């Protein structure tokens, strides 16, 4: 199932925007957009969903535009049969929640003002406050399993002595979690037909004489096959065996299973209540261990129970490092997401959390995201992790997911010359690759002579000989500097590289240095060579590598245009380009 499109109307900074994205399930999807674009508004749209409608908090309404338009979030998806569906959430209804569960993880740090009065005057001081993370909304009541070993033996009959004491097993939190995942199997075990078969075996056991070991040996020789033939009981015995090493033989596992089934049969509601509290205890233990693993501060940060909730509180922001704060809050929110994302299809929005993590914590965060995805895949569910970021992963190598896909929210159309695109796509052809790189995409005082080869490849012939290609790219650079519309962004990037290399080349005085310069393939190495020969290379020549380093290598299926245009529209980058001297 693929999410094809998301549309947001009248939510905070977004008046009306449609995002054609084609998100695949169970793969990290990086949604890239510059600061100020509206990524937080995108996240707010999803965090404003409740079960019945889209409910915006104060301050999240969009100001301006059509005053009659209502806030709206819509998700379009294609099902496994190829049918397209559109789900809408607004102030009156929420169709999205019928198919998708949604959860948003964002920054928990907020500014908090404190007012104090001195001599009749009020002064206000501000500090950074980290919102607590509610891990469990409602702590279930503390219910224990209604089990007495003595009573269980009495209910069994004369040979109740063969029963193992299951009290320790009922304290095994992971075993109880398995039990709670298999209520349907327990229902089968306590049904009358299965119950009659169990009672018949118990009746035969009670007719035997001897001590517990002797009677168990009799069971092995005379009743073990009957036990194995009871499929539901056997499956339940396997759950016990796989979850605990306390009992290592089939007979004990069978006797444990029928005791658990009896507890369930006697009071199903109370049994489920005991399981619910045990599962809560397991979650609390896991949250505590996970928080401890990431907390290297001197502050005690651990889940605590408060007013019927399990909450993770934080010290003041100045008492914990930014990195520690960010990774612990992220992991805590991810734990909460596991409780909330219950449907077969779930959307997880992560709003710029990854952009501020250091390398180690970034890897840790991605590891837990990957584990989360694997859990969904293992349950045959579909998770759509949408990671909002302002860092282009093609340039900033922050993300190391093996199957990640990048989408540019601020997608642009540009006046890209078709011949430029063809040349980039075919630059690796054996007949032209060395000359195209040397004479066209880098500066070289010589000229190219590949007109015949260009024609054979369907490329623009005039670019294969003489200076026609450089005339074109410098014409586009001039349009960009003069703020004219319709410039080719790919040509501008190429022109920046060629111009920088030409300027630096002309500063070299030694013929051998110049020859070594033009035989090198990467611009950075050329600039470093020139500096080693005494040339004063401006720092911004290196910085502009953000334009010319990646764009000149075309990859099919990748959006090359949007990230380039976004960079070229940046006022600082435009100034740096305009500051490059004319030759």
């Amino acid at each position: 199932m693929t999410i094809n499109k998301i549309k947001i109307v009248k939510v905070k900074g977004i008046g009306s925007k449609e995002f054609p994205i084609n998100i695949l399930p169970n793969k990290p999807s990086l949604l890239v957009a510059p600061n100020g674009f509206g990524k937080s508004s995108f996240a707010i749209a999803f965090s404003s969903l409740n079960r019945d409608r889209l409910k915006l908090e104060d301050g999240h309404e969009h100001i301006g535009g059509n005053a009659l338009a209502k806030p709206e979030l819509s998700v379009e998806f294609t099902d496994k049969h190829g049918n397209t569906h559109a789900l809408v959430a607004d102030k009156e209804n929420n169709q999205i929640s019928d198919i998708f569960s949604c959860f948003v993880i964002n920054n928990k740090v907020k500014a908090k003002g404190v007012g104090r009065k001195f001599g009749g005057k009020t002064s206000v001081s501000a500090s950074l406050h980290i919102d607590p993370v509610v891990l469990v909304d409602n702590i279930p009541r503390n219910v224990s399993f209604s089990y007495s070993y003595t009573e269980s033996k009495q209910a069994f009959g004369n040979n109740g002595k063969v029963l193992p004491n299951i009290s320790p097993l009922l304290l095994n939190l992971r075993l109880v979690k398995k039990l709670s995942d298999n209520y349907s199997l327990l229902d089968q075990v306590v049904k009358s037909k299965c119950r009659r078969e169990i009672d018949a075996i118990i009746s035969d056991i009670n007719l035997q004489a001897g001590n517990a070991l002797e009677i168990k040996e009799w069971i092995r020789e005379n009743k073990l096959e009957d036990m194995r033939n009871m499929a539901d009981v056997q499956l339940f015995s396997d759950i016990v065996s796989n979850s605990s090493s306390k009992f290592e033989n089939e007979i004990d596992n069978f006797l444990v299973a029928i005791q658990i089934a009896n507890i369930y049969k006697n009071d199903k509601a109370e049994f489920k209540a005991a399981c619910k509290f045990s599962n809560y205890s397991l979650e609390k233990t896991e949250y505590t261990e996970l928080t401890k693993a990431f907390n290297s501060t001197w502050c005690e940060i651990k889940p605590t129970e408060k007013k019927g909730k399990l909450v993770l509180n934080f010290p003041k922001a100045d008492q914990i490092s930014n990195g520690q704060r960010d990774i612990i809050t992220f992991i805590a929110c991810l734990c909460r997401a596991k409780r909330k994302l219950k449907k077969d299809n779930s959307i997880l929005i992560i709003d710029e959390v990854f952009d501020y993590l250091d390398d180690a914590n970034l890897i840790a965060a991605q590891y837990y995201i990957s584990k989360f995805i694997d859990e969904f895949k293992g349950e045959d569910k579909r998770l759509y992790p949408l990671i909002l970021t302002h860092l282009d992963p093609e340039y900033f190598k922050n993300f190391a997911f093996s199957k990640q896909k990048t989408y540019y929210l601020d997608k642009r159309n540009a006046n890209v010359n078709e011949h430029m695109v063809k040349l980039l796509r075919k630059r690796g052809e054996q007949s032209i690759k060395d000359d195209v790189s040397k004479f066209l995409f880098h500066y070289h005082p010589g000229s190219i002579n590949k007109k015949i080869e260009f024609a054979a490849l369907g490329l623009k012939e005039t670019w294969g000989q003489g200076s026609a290609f450089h005339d074109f790219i410098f014409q586009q650079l001039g349009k960009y500097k003069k703020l004219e519309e319709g410039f080719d962004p790919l040509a501008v990037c190429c022109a920046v590289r060629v111009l920088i290399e030409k300027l630096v080349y002309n500063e070299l005085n030694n013929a051998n240095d110049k020859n070594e310069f033009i035989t090198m393939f990467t611009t950075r190495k050329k600039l470093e060579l020139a500096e080693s020969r005494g040339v004063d290379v401006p720092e911004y020549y290196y910085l502009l590598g953000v334009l010319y380093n990646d764009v000149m290598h075309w990859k099919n299926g990748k959006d090359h245009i949007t990230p380039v245009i976004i960079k070229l529209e940046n006022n600082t980058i435009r100034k740096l380009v305009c500051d490059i001297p004319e030759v």
Side-chain angles (χ1 to χ4, degrees):
M1 195 166 89
T2 304
I3 296 178
N4 306 322
K5 189 188 302 179
I6 293 173
K7 184 179 180 181
I8 299 172
V9 177
K10 300 282 281 186
V11 175
K12 202 173 181 183
I14 296 179
S16 179
K17 283 184 180 179
E18 195 172 89
F19 307 99
I21 45 182
N22 295 317
I23 301 290
L24 298 174
N26 298 325
K27 294 180 186 295
S29 297
L30 312 180
L31 275 54
V32 183
N35 287 325
F37 171 80
K39 295 187 297 297
S40 292
S41 301
F42 185 103
I44 285 168
F46 280 90
S47 65
S48 300
L49 289 172
N50 63 28
R51 186 176 59 184
D52 302 315
R53 61 194 179 103
L54 180 69
K55 184 180 180 182
L56 297 178
E57 295 180 2
D58 291 343
H60 288 170
E61 300 87 357
H62 179 75
I63 307 299
N66 182 359
L68 298 177
K70 298 178 180 179
E72 183 181 292
L73 171 64
S74 62
V75 176
E76 181 185 290
F77 70 94
T78 302
D79 64 25
K80 62 181 180 180
H81 303 295
N83 300 316
T84 300
H85 309 266
L87 307 173
V88 178
D90 55 27
K91 285 187 173 182
E92 283 76 41
N93 69 90
N94 180 6
Q95 298 172 342
I96 295 172
S97 65
D98 295 338
I99 304 296
F100 294 95
S101 50
C102 303
F103 191 85
V104 176
I105 297 177
N106 49 27
N107 197 332
K108 295 293 180 183
V109 181
K110 295 180 180 178
K112 184 177 182 180
V114 179
R116 294 183 176 86
K117 283 192 175 183
F118 295 95
K121 295 182 179 180
T122 301
S123 65
V124 178
S125 61
S127 62
L128 288 178
H129 170 74
I130 307 174
D131 279 350
V133 177
V134 179
L135 299 171
V136 177
D137 293 296
N138 296 293
I139 297 173
R141 63 191 178 97
N142 189 343
V143 179
S144 300
F145 289 99
S146 180
Y147 173 76
S148 163
Y149 183 43
T150 300
E151 291 176 4
S152 184
K153 289 190 292 183
Q154 289 173 352
F156 188 89
N158 295 334
N159 285 325
K161 58 192 173 188
V162 299
L163 293 179
N165 186 351
I166 66 170
S167 295
L169 284 182
L170 297 175
L171 299 176
N172 183 326
L173 302 180
R174 299 194 184 280
L175 170 60
V176 175
K177 180 66 172 66
K178 287 284 189 181
L179 298 180
S180 64
D181 291 338
N182 288 276
Y183 289 140
S184 59
L185 184 57
L186 268 171
D187 285 328
Q188 293 298 319
V189 173
V190 300
K191 278 186 176 180
S192 56
K193 180 178 182 299
C194 188
R195 188 71 239 179
R196 285 195 299 271
E197 293 175 346
I198 294 173
D199 288 344
I201 292 175
I202 292 174
S203 179
D204 289 343
I205 293 173
N206 281 325
L207 293 175
Q208 308 310 308
N211 60 35
L213 289 177
E214 291 169 339
I215 294 172
K216 284 185 179 181
E217 186 58 33
W218 179 88
I219 295 172
R220 183 183 307 281
E221 294 176 357
N222 298 277
K223 293 297 176 182
L224 187 55
E225 282 305 312
D226 292 342
M227 293 176 177
R228 289 172 176 170
N229 290 333
M230 300 170 65
D232 293 328
V233 179
Q234 185 62 48
L235 286 172
F236 201 63
S237 297
D238 291 342
I239 291 173
V240 173
S241 177
N242 294 333
S243 303
S244 173
S245 59
K246 186 172 180 61
F247 304 109
E248 299 179 353
N249 61 73
E250 289 182 80
I251 296 170
D252 279 340
N253 288 329
F254 175 84
L255 297 172
V256 167
I258 63 173
Q259 287 186 88
I260 293 174
N262 283 337
I263 303 171
Y264 180 72
K265 178 176 176 291
N266 291 338
D267 193 333
K268 291 184 180 181
E270 198 73 357
F271 184 94
K272 290 180 178 180
C275 285
K276 189 173 183 179
F277 184 78
S278 178
N279 291 341
Y280 160 73
S281 300
L282 176 61
E283 280 189 280
K284 182 181 179 181
T285 300
E286 291 175 342
Y287 293 153
T288 301
E289 290 174 352
L290 196 56
T291 306
K292 185 178 180 180
F294 281 96
N295 182 25
S296 60
T297 71
W298 56 271
C299 304
E300 186 176 37
I301 304 173
K302 65 179 182 180
T304 56
E305 296 179 352
K306 186 176 182 181
K307 296 181 179 180
K309 301 178 185 293
L310 184 67
V311 179
L312 188 65
N313 287 301
F314 293 89
K316 291 182 179 179
D318 59 0
Q319 296 176 349
I320 181 174
S321 73
N322 292 343
Q324 284 294 303
R325 174 198 70 209
D326 291 339
I327 189 61
I328 293 175
T329 53
F330 173 74
I331 296 299
C333 289
L334 194 60
C335 290
R336 181 166 172 78
K338 290 182 181 182
R339 290 182 60 88
K340 295 293 184 179
L341 299 176
K342 296 298 186 183
K343 288 188 167 62
D344 288 345
N345 303 289
S346 296
I347 298 173
L348 175 64
I349 309 285
I350 301 173
D351 184 14
E352 288 198 313
V353 175
F354 282 16
D355 293 359
Y356 308 104
L357 295 176
D358 60 32
D359 290 346
N361 284 328
L362 186 62
I363 294 300
Q366 291 177 75
Y367 167 71
Y368 281 99
I369 285 287
S370 299
K371 279 188 65 177
F372 200 10
I373 291 172
D374 289 341
E375 287 177 22
F376 268 74
K377 288 170 66 176
E379 297 174 8
D380 198 25
K381 294 182 178 180
R382 288 158 294 281
L383 178 68
Y384 300 84
L386 310 183
I387 302 170
L388 298 168
T389 176
H390 65 266
L391 303 178
D392 186 345
E394 296 296 327
Y395 189 76
F396 297 95
K397 307 302 181 184
N398 291 36
F399 301 95
F401 295 113
S402 63
K403 297 178 181 178
Q404 68 188 32
K405 190 170 182 183
T406 302
Y407 304 83
Y408 294 95
L409 296 183
D410 194 11
K411 201 168 181 66
R412 308 296 184 85
N413 294 316
N415 187 37
V416 179
N417 186 287
E418 63 174 320
H419 299 295
M420 188 74 187
V421 174
K422 284 183 181 178
L423 182 57
L424 286 170
R425 283 176 171 164
K426 295 188 176 183
R427 64 171 293 179
E429 294 289 339
Q430 196 63 38
S431 60
I432 63 169
K433 65 184 242 182
D434 290 338
D435 286 327
V436 165
S437 179
K438 183 185 297 184
F439 294 102
L440 299 188
F441 293 158
H442 289 277
Y443 173 71
H444 196 288
S447 60
I448 191 171
N449 185 14
K450 289 287 178 178
K451 192 172 181 180
I452 295 174
E453 289 85 347
F454 269 45
L457 292 169
L459 302 175
K460 191 168 183 175
E461 289 184 48
T462 55
W463 287 1
Q465 187 174 19
S467 60
F469 175 76
H470 283 168
D471 290 342
F472 165 72
I473 63 173
F474 282 110
Q475 178 194 46
Q476 300 303 305
L477 178 60
K479 292 176 71 174
Y480 170 70
K481 287 184 174 183
K482 294 174 185 176
L483 302 178
E484 295 179 14
E485 294 183 358
F487 63 84
D488 183 330
L490 303 178
V492 170
C493 293
C494 187
V496 167
R497 171 195 264 175
V498 173
L499 179 56
I500 286 174
E501 289 187 5
K502 185 175 183 180
L503 287 165
V504 174
Y505 173 86
N506 289 340
E507 291 293 315
L508 292 167
N509 297 316
N510 185 288
N512 290 331
D513 293 340
K514 288 188 172 184
N515 183 63
E516 187 176 354
F517 182 93
I518 61 176
T519 57
M520 286 184 168
F521 285 102
T522 64
T523 302
R524 186 176 188 88
K525 288 183 178 179
K526 291 173 182 281
L527 301 184
E528 289 172 347
L529 170 70
E531 281 199 299
S532 72
R533 301 300 190 269
V535 177
D536 184 16
V537 178
E539 180 65 23
Y540 72 91
Y541 284 11
Y542 288 98
L543 297 177
L544 286 172
V546 71
L547 294 180
Y548 57 69
N549 276 339
D550 295 324
V551 73
M552 306 314 296
H553 298 275
W554 196 272
K555 296 177 183 177
N556 290 329
K558 173 187 170 184
D559 181 358
H560 292 262
I561 309 305
T562 297
V564 171
I565 295 177
I566 291 172
K567 292 180 179 75
L568 288 173
E569 287 181 349
N570 182 278
N571 289 333
T572 300
I573 289 179
R574 185 184 292 277
K575 181 182 183 305
L576 293 179
V577 171
C578 291
D579 284 347
I580 303 173
E582 298 289 339
V583 178

